[in-house]
Amino acid sequence: MTQRPCVGFTGYYGMRNFGDDLFGVLCAAAARRYWNADPLLVGPTLEGAQARATWPSTFPSTLYGSAGALGKAARVVGFVRGLRASDVLVMGGGSVITARESFRKPMMLSARRRGRVQLAAVGVSVGPFPDAASQEAAAAFVREFSYLSVRDRRSYELCRRMGLDHITHHGRDLAGLLRTVLPLSSRTVASDDRSVPRIGIAPCRYTVRDDHSAPTPAQWHDGIVHAITRTAAHTPLQVEVFSLNAHPVHGDEAMAAQLQARLRERGVAAGLHAYAGSEPLATVDAIQRCDAFVSARLHGAIVAYLCAVPFAIVDYHPKCRDFADDIGLPLHLRITSGAHETPAFMQVLDALLNDEGARARLSPSLYAQQAQDIFQCAPWSTSPAHTHASSTAA
């Protein structure tokens, strides 16, 4: 490996999802800071990343994330370019170690076995798997890695059972690096009128899983609309509805616009912040300007937490519960199948706006400090790690 390694980061970057694009920006900054590396993003250029990208800037970035044969061909070509250029190829963030098939896996394994590249994953979750065969297939894939940093305790314990102790580090979500590699205070302008509380809402287009009980989007939307309407009748409020995924098929724009319209019809002042793709730091700043935040999107909740914005999370997926458990989020700030109607949201809004004690047990500053170990514990680190005792591999 060269003295200044080229580290390629692969994920769902460029697919117009706020959380995934944020991973790309943070991975690039952390690689420079903690590994003295030259970062390369597999995908389009992301604003704020200050890194090379495999997708030519002269081509429209929307093509890279498009559906159909042309979009897939663009992603395959971009991945091949990244694989060939990298000394280390890192899966950077997200629920990527699963039973889902991908064209990337065989290409990664082939390059690794020919000694062309080292493999790693950072800030990821592992599983859950539908059966033992799927779990073993994932374990065989990850055994070829030099380093694996998972973002939650459930994934860490699962990796230990899969026999991956020797490479696994119990880290944090990559968004935890916001406070250290891209300090929030250096970008945020505190010029807004804060005399009226601003509540952020981030919906998500999801289907309730068979293995994870949760309210449907329509159910919790009804609850929060009615609760905000009642609250606004006696307390002036400003609502900002966030669309954090702009994908034409899987995105939230129509859902967010519908929520905004329902609130406006009831006389509630409601704006819309739609993530368009490529500029995740502007959305971080918009979340930070809120006084309270209710999110079904995991990274709406995580960014609110790191910005010290009181928040509640819609527990629609194991990854949401994993995060809430890891930080000790109070149960009454979790929107569940048993607590999603108007009375539950009235309690949530009151707690977020008026109760200083309605916070996660783990402080955002400590979470951010521990998040540095995601990169500092890697074999390529040029910066000493300060691991939390329970979080390193045996």
Side-chain angles (χ1 to χ4, degrees):
M1 188 179 295
T2 60
Q3 185 174 2
R4 185 177 172 84
C6 176
V7 179
F9 289 97
T10 180
Y12 294 109
Y13 318 140
M15 305 295 284
R16 290 179 277 177
N17 180 284
F18 163 67
D20 291 319
D21 287 351
L22 183 61
F23 292 155
V25 172
L26 292 169
C27 281
R32 289 192 301 270
R33 176 167 180 163
Y34 300 115
W35 294 354
N36 189 31
D38 178 20
L40 172 69
L41 294 181
V42 177
T45 300
L46 296 174
E47 187 175 323
Q50 300 177 14
R52 295 180 297 126
T54 60
W55 185 246
S57 59
T58 53
F59 290 6
S61 60
T62 52
L63 177 60
Y64 182 85
S66 64
L70 192 58
K72 183 175 181 180
R75 293 187 288 276
V76 171
V77 170
F79 186 78
V80 170
R81 293 183 66 189
L83 191 58
R84 288 179 174 174
S86 300
D87 299 303
V88 183
L89 185 71
V90 182
M91 300 176 80
S95 305
V96 294
I97 310 296
T98 66
R100 186 182 305 160
E101 291 300 319
S102 168
F103 69 83
R104 297 171 178 83
K105 290 182 181 179
M107 296 170 68
M108 292 168 68
L109 292 176
S110 176
R112 165 70 184 90
R113 289 164 181 167
R114 287 182 287 127
R116 294 190 56 173
V117 68
Q118 294 185 64
L119 302 177
V122 296
V124 302
S125 56
V126 178
F129 299 100
D131 50 53
S134 298
Q135 181 171 308
E136 177 50 37
F141 172 56
V142 178
R143 286 190 192 106
E144 299 291 337
F145 287 27
S146 300
Y147 178 65
L148 170 66
S149 180
V150 296
R151 63 185 180 183
D152 56 75
R153 176 157 292 280
R154 181 199 56 77
S155 294
Y156 176 65
E157 296 297 342
L158 178 56
C159 285
R160 296 186 67 180
R161 295 195 298 273
M162 293 166 66
L164 302 171
D165 311 46
H166 60 296
I167 60 169
T168 303
H169 166 71
H170 176 200
R172 296 298 186 188
D173 191 275
L174 288 170
L177 293 164
L178 267 173
R179 285 175 166 239
T180 51
V181 301
L182 296 169
L184 297 165
S185 60
S186 67
R187 299 189 318 276
T188 301
V189 179
S191 59
D192 290 346
D193 177 9
R194 303 302 292 266
S195 61
V196 176
R198 175 178 294 176
I199 300 174
I201 307 173
C204 173
R205 184 178 297 280
Y206 65 84
T207 301
V208 177
R209 297 164 56 107
D210 293 337
D211 62 349
H212 192 94
S213 178
T216 65
Q219 286 175 326
W220 76 262
H221 291 183
D222 285 345
I224 197 168
V225 166
H226 293 145
I228 287 177
T229 302
R230 289 187 188 180
T231 302
H234 56 78
T235 303
L237 293 176
Q238 168 69 43
V239 176
E240 192 78 6
V241 184
F242 285 74
S243 169
L244 297 181
N245 187 326
H247 192 277
V249 178
H250 309 294
D252 309 327
E253 286 191 31
M255 184 176 284
Q258 184 182 54
L259 267 176
Q260 179 198 27
R262 291 181 66 183
L263 289 166
R264 284 183 167 181
E265 287 169 0
R266 290 161 174 79
V268 178
L272 178 65
H273 178 99
Y275 179 69
S278 84
E279 73 300 333
L281 298 183
T283 296
V284 170
D285 295 340
I287 292 173
Q288 189 174 18
R289 289 193 291 269
C290 294
D291 298 290
F293 207 81
V294 177
S295 185
R297 284 283 172 189
L298 175 62
H299 284 89
I302 295 179
V303 169
Y305 164 70
L306 291 163
C307 293
V309 175
F311 77 97
I313 191 169
V314 179
D315 180 12
Y316 82 93
H317 189 281
K319 64 185 180 182
C320 300
R321 186 173 300 173
D322 291 339
F323 171 67
D325 288 346
D326 281 358
I327 65 170
L329 186 69
L331 294 178
H332 68 278
L333 297 181
R334 308 184 192 196
I335 311 306
T336 65
S337 57
H340 63 268
E341 297 180 340
T342 303
F345 272 110
M346 292 295 292
Q347 181 185 17
V348 165
L349 294 176
D350 181 62
L352 296 181
L353 294 173
N354 303 310
D355 184 0
E356 290 293 329
R359 304 290 186 272
R361 184 174 62 251
L362 181 68
S363 73
S365 58
L366 182 56
Y367 189 99
Q369 178 185 335
Q370 294 170 348
Q372 296 180 83
D373 290 346
I374 300 169
F375 279 78
Q376 290 178 322
C377 287
W380 314 281
S381 175
T382 58
S383 175
H386 303 284
T387 59
H388 43 299
S390 65
S391 299
T392 53

